[in-house]
Amino acid sequence: MPIEDLARNDVVTAGPETPVTDLAATMGEEHVGSIVITNDETPVGIVTDRDLAVRVLGEADDPTGMTAEDVMTDDLYTAEPDAGFYEAATLMADHGIRRLPISEDGTLAGIITADDITELLADEQQHLGDIIRGQRPEY
């Protein structure tokens, strides 16, 4: 299954100059744990709720003058929309990331998260259980 079938296209984005206080407010309003930082439509970084906790609060910095560029992870890993589920999961595991932006020709096209993968696996397990129950002889 290509990850474009699983990825969400409603990615929350912001520019590198966005104040971290705005990022935190947006995460709360949008009920998301990350914001992809873009230049135009090109993903250049990601800020997660953990980044805000560790890089701002954990270092006791004053967030007033801080921007996304100050706290974002800029060694961003992305996948193409036609990447397979296993390829995406392996990339996430190998690099210890929970969120993987999907980029097509350098343009942000979606995002897949560890929660999305967990939900897919749970659905597949449920389907497998239904098959097994349907083939089980009555006792």
Side-chain angles (χ1 to χ4, degrees):
M1 163 189 298
I3 56 174
E4 68 184 336
D5 294 345
L6 184 60
R8 288 176 284 125
N9 297 329
D10 57 339
V11 184
V12 179
T13 64
E17 72 289 342
T18 305
V20 295
T21 52
D22 290 356
L23 295 174
T26 299
M27 284 183 196
E29 292 164 5
E30 298 291 333
H31 305 288
V32 296
S34 66
I35 296 178
V36 178
I37 307 305
T38 58
N39 275 332
D40 297 319
E41 294 183 28
T42 302
V44 295
I46 190 166
V47 175
T48 67
D49 46 8
R50 187 172 192 281
D51 291 331
L52 295 178
V54 172
R55 295 181 181 160
V56 178
L57 297 177
E59 295 178 6
D61 285 334
D62 178 10
T64 307
M66 297 180 78
T67 65
E69 193 167 31
D70 296 326
V71 299
M72 72 182 187
T73 299
D74 58 4
D75 57 341
L76 190 64
Y77 295 98
T78 63
E80 291 286 327
D82 61 350
F85 164 80
Y86 182 78
E87 181 182 342
T90 299
L91 184 63
M92 294 169 79
D94 286 351
H95 298 288
I97 56 176
R98 296 181 43 86
R99 298 161 179 96
L100 182 64
I102 308 305
S103 180
E104 185 169 19
D105 299 324
T107 300
L108 185 64
I111 192 165
I112 185 171
T113 67
D115 290 349
D116 297 327
I117 291 174
T118 300
E119 185 177 348
L120 173 69
L121 292 173
D123 290 347
E124 292 298 320
Q125 286 292 322
Q126 179 64 45
H127 182 66
L128 182 58
D130 292 344
I131 291 169
I132 291 169
R133 280 188 289 282
Q135 295 178 353
R136 182 181 301 148
E138 293 185 27
Y139 295 103

